[in-house]
Amino acid sequence: MDLEEAFQLVGEFGSYQKQMVLVLVLLQVYMACQSMLIVLIGAIPEYHIEQGDHSNYEELIKHVTFTEDVNSIVTEWFLLKQQAYKVSLAGSLFFAGVLIGNVFFGPLSDKIGRKPVFLTALFFEVVFGYATAFAPSYEVFALSRLLVGLMNGGMSLVCFVLTQEYVGKAYWAMTGTLTNMTFAVGIALFGALGYYIRPWRTLATAANSPGVLFFLLCVTLPESPRWLYSRGYTEKAEEVLQYIAVRNGNSNAAAKVKLRMCPGSVKTGNQGNNGPGFLDLFTHTVLRWRTVVLMYVWYSCSLVYYGLTMNASEESGNRYFSVAMYGLVELPAYPLCIYFINKQWAGRRKTMASFLGLAGLSCLCTMLVPVTAGPVFNATSLALLGKLLVSAAFNIVYVYTTELYPTVVRNAGLGVCSMSCRVGGILAPFVPSMRDLHTSMPFLVFCLSGISAGCLGLLLPETLNKPISETLEELSNPAYHRIVETKTHLFEEDQSKTNHNQ
């Protein structure tokens, strides 16, 4: 039998798979806290500078009085005036690390396995997270944020892929959506945590400590059976599937699991250097244009997402409430995703393109409606609506991308797409400077990015109810997809007949 038949036999989303996915989904809360950490521990309180000798920075800080009860890296290291850029720099270093981690760890996990890369990145993220909390100087703090971002970027990718590869394809959309939704909840929980824990070192320690528990829970997770199968480790893949069947309470099915050799598979131990990898994303006939389109879609999602966030954040208010709203505003997007992407008339492709196009139109309306237009229909509410829509598109593109790439290069593909996503996030803060050309220019850029990405997304193939390729050979062979679809349909009919007879 092939892998999809094996999953239907042992259980596509049994009790043990639910436990594994639950651990990986809850891990998103920890990752969200690390991603948002600089927002609160880098808070700039109100301050007053007394009259005196301000000829140099050392003399200046002697005359600074903070008028707000805030404990942050700004108050400890006096990151004010000419030193204020260091707060933004620390945030930029984290996302630069995420970008590097996406590119490095994605292909690495395709080569040596999901589990070793995932556990190594999680372990060192926790270690460097504590280095952040106990940093004796700004320089050590900044370096630790770079390293935390590096590990976070790689680990988050592998974590997302594992939530997909532990279960049957029918549940990929659900597990992917739960992962992204929990990340949004994690942002809101971090806002609440920051409200009750004000000292920045204590907050950094509290936000990092759950990582220890998650690491201990993840040590027991098995290797991805899909990765093992795609790399030619058929016997090991059978062992993992049999173990899952037993833990699911389906011992009879465990004995029936017999996988045939995956066509086109490459054993890492024998031909690791010749196996599929990063370069195949751009040299393979099918993957080349697929990768280019996906990179632009991810880039545009990030650019529009952060651009609308900046506009919404112009409203003054409680910083802890703002952080919580930053996450909570995304939550309504996920039920919409689950509903639409599983409908035959909508699917992944059309839904993603529609959400991106609507987000672009929200940007267009945002620049046309005055901020003081009304209590409900105003620029801020339109910006938040746009953020909800682009969050939905972001969620879909995660799920959609994992289905478009074969298992052997899935993490490499996600890594490249995430890299282009980080580029969009880095460029977003610079777009507002285009107001010098015209007041409406920034949101025109966001509008065109969303609409153009939506249009390009329509060029991608639909993946709803289609078989997932494990190797590059399967991706290039249309006959394989027809065979798999027919066999899967016949297998489902046999199962239903068996259940009826019982």
Side-chain angles (χ1 to χ4, degrees):
M1 64 179 67
D2 61 29
L3 197 60
E4 292 305 325
E5 291 174 337
F7 265 109
Q8 291 173 1
L9 184 65
V10 304
E12 291 192 281
F13 198 50
S15 57
Y16 181 57
Q17 288 153 303
K18 290 175 183 176
Q19 294 173 28
M20 293 190 293
V21 169
L22 178 64
V23 172
L24 295 173
V25 165
L26 290 178
L27 182 59
Q28 299 299 313
V29 175
Y30 169 72
M31 288 191 282
C33 290
Q34 288 295 343
S35 298
M36 298 299 296
L37 191 66
I38 194 64
V39 175
L40 294 184
I41 71 171
I44 303 174
E46 295 180 4
Y47 62 91
H48 172 70
I49 300 178
E50 301 172 357
Q51 296 294 326
D53 180 15
H54 301 162
S55 57
N56 57 62
Y57 186 69
E58 287 72 19
E59 289 297 325
L60 173 66
I61 61 178
K62 292 178 182 179
H63 297 86
V64 172
T65 302
F66 292 103
T67 57
E68 187 180 356
D69 184 20
V70 171
N71 181 277
S72 67
I73 61 172
V74 174
T75 60
E76 180 165 337
W77 293 315
F78 290 93
L79 304 181
L80 305 169
K81 297 296 183 180
Q82 61 265 43
Q83 298 292 317
Y85 75 93
K86 290 185 177 180
V87 178
S88 300
L89 177 62
S92 297
L93 285 172
F94 174 83
F95 285 106
V98 172
L99 189 152
I100 298 169
N102 290 157
V103 177
F104 177 73
F105 285 108
L108 185 64
S109 68
D110 284 331
K111 290 289 184 182
I112 69 174
R114 313 300 198 215
K115 185 177 178 179
V117 173
F118 171 69
L119 289 179
T120 301
L122 177 55
F123 175 79
F124 282 107
E125 180 170 358
V126 173
V127 171
F128 296 137
Y130 281 120
T132 292
F134 298 103
S137 64
Y138 171 80
E139 289 71 24
V140 175
F141 173 84
L143 177 61
S144 70
R145 295 317 295 162
L146 173 67
L147 295 174
V148 168
L150 181 69
M151 299 302 155
N152 186 283
M155 186 264 289
S156 60
L157 274 182
V158 184
C159 178
F160 183 85
V161 169
L162 283 175
T163 63
Q164 311 273 280
E165 296 186 349
Y166 280 148
V167 302
K169 183 186 178 294
Y171 293 89
W172 280 24
M174 186 193 71
T175 57
T177 299
L178 281 175
T179 300
N180 290 327
M181 185 169 66
T182 309
F183 188 89
V185 172
I187 294 174
L189 290 176
F190 178 65
L193 183 68
Y195 178 79
Y196 289 103
I197 303 176
R198 299 300 177 91
W200 78 266
R201 291 185 184 274
T202 309
L203 177 59
T205 303
N208 190 61
S209 294
V212 178
L213 174 62
F214 283 116
F215 176 77
L216 295 176
L217 291 173
C218 291
V219 167
T220 61
L221 296 178
E223 179 58 271
S224 164
R226 291 183 183 276
W227 180 83
L228 291 169
Y229 182 65
S230 69
R231 302 300 291 189
Y233 296 111
T234 308
E235 292 183 1
K236 291 183 179 179
E238 288 176 356
E239 291 174 5
V240 173
L241 289 168
Q242 289 165 357
Y243 177 71
I244 291 174
V246 172
R247 292 294 300 271
N248 282 343
N250 196 0
S251 301
N252 293 332
K256 300 177 183 178
V257 175
K258 276 294 179 184
L259 296 173
R260 67 166 181 266
M261 180 63 71
C262 180
S265 62
V266 180
K267 280 199 174 182
T268 311
N270 299 332
Q271 307 175 53
N273 294 331
N274 297 326
F278 175 80
L279 291 179
D280 290 284
L281 300 176
F282 300 96
T283 58
H284 190 273
T285 308
V286 177
L287 289 181
R288 184 186 302 120
W289 292 112
R290 192 173 291 188
T291 299
V292 171
V293 171
L294 283 172
M295 285 179 69
Y296 182 74
V297 169
W298 280 67
Y299 160 81
S300 298
C301 279
S302 182
L303 188 71
V304 177
Y305 180 93
Y306 289 110
L308 288 171
T309 300
M310 286 187 295
N311 182 76
S313 65
E314 289 178 2
E315 294 292 310
S316 60
N318 185 292
R319 64 170 58 89
Y320 306 103
F321 179 75
S322 298
V323 171
M325 284 300 299
Y326 185 88
L328 293 177
V329 73
E330 301 178 26
L331 293 183
Y334 301 112
L336 291 175
C337 293
I338 293 176
Y339 177 78
F340 284 111
I341 65 178
N342 289 314
K343 295 294 182 182
Q344 194 66 45
W345 51 269
R348 276 66 158 151
R349 181 171 60 99
K350 293 178 183 177
T351 307
M352 181 192 73
S354 298
F355 278 130
L356 278 170
L358 290 172
L361 290 176
S362 293
C363 289
L364 180 64
C365 294
T366 299
M367 68 184 187
L368 297 176
V369 178
V371 176
T372 57
V376 177
F377 185 76
N378 54 41
T380 301
S381 61
L382 283 171
L384 289 172
L385 174 63
K387 186 167 184 287
L388 184 151
L389 293 167
V390 80
S391 297
F394 235 148
N395 175 62
I396 296 168
V397 78
Y398 262 99
V399 176
Y400 195 24
T401 302
T402 59
E403 295 177 345
L404 285 170
Y405 283 114
T407 302
V408 290
V409 292
R410 184 168 296 132
N411 261 13
L414 271 173
V416 170
C417 291
S418 293
M419 178 190 69
S420 61
C421 167
R422 304 306 166 193
V423 173
I426 291 170
L427 292 178
F430 297 98
V431 177
S433 62
M434 299 179 70
R435 285 193 181 96
D436 296 338
L437 300 176
H438 192 278
T439 308
S440 302
M441 189 62 71
F443 283 100
L444 181 61
V445 172
F446 298 140
C447 169
L448 293 176
S449 298
I451 293 174
S452 60
C455 293
L456 279 176
L458 292 172
L459 299 176
L460 296 169
E462 180 56 68
T463 58
L464 178 63
N465 298 327
K466 298 294 193 299
I468 295 297
S469 301
E470 303 294 338
T471 66
L472 298 182
E473 286 72 14
E474 293 176 359
L475 184 71
S476 306
N477 186 6
Y480 161 79
H481 296 283
R482 291 195 293 270
I483 292 170
V484 171
E485 287 174 333
T486 303
K487 289 181 68 178
T488 302
H489 179 68
L490 292 173
F491 182 83
E492 289 173 347
E493 287 185 346
D494 291 341
Q495 287 291 97
S496 62
K497 289 178 181 177
T498 303
N499 294 334
H500 179 73
N501 293 332
Q502 290 176 348

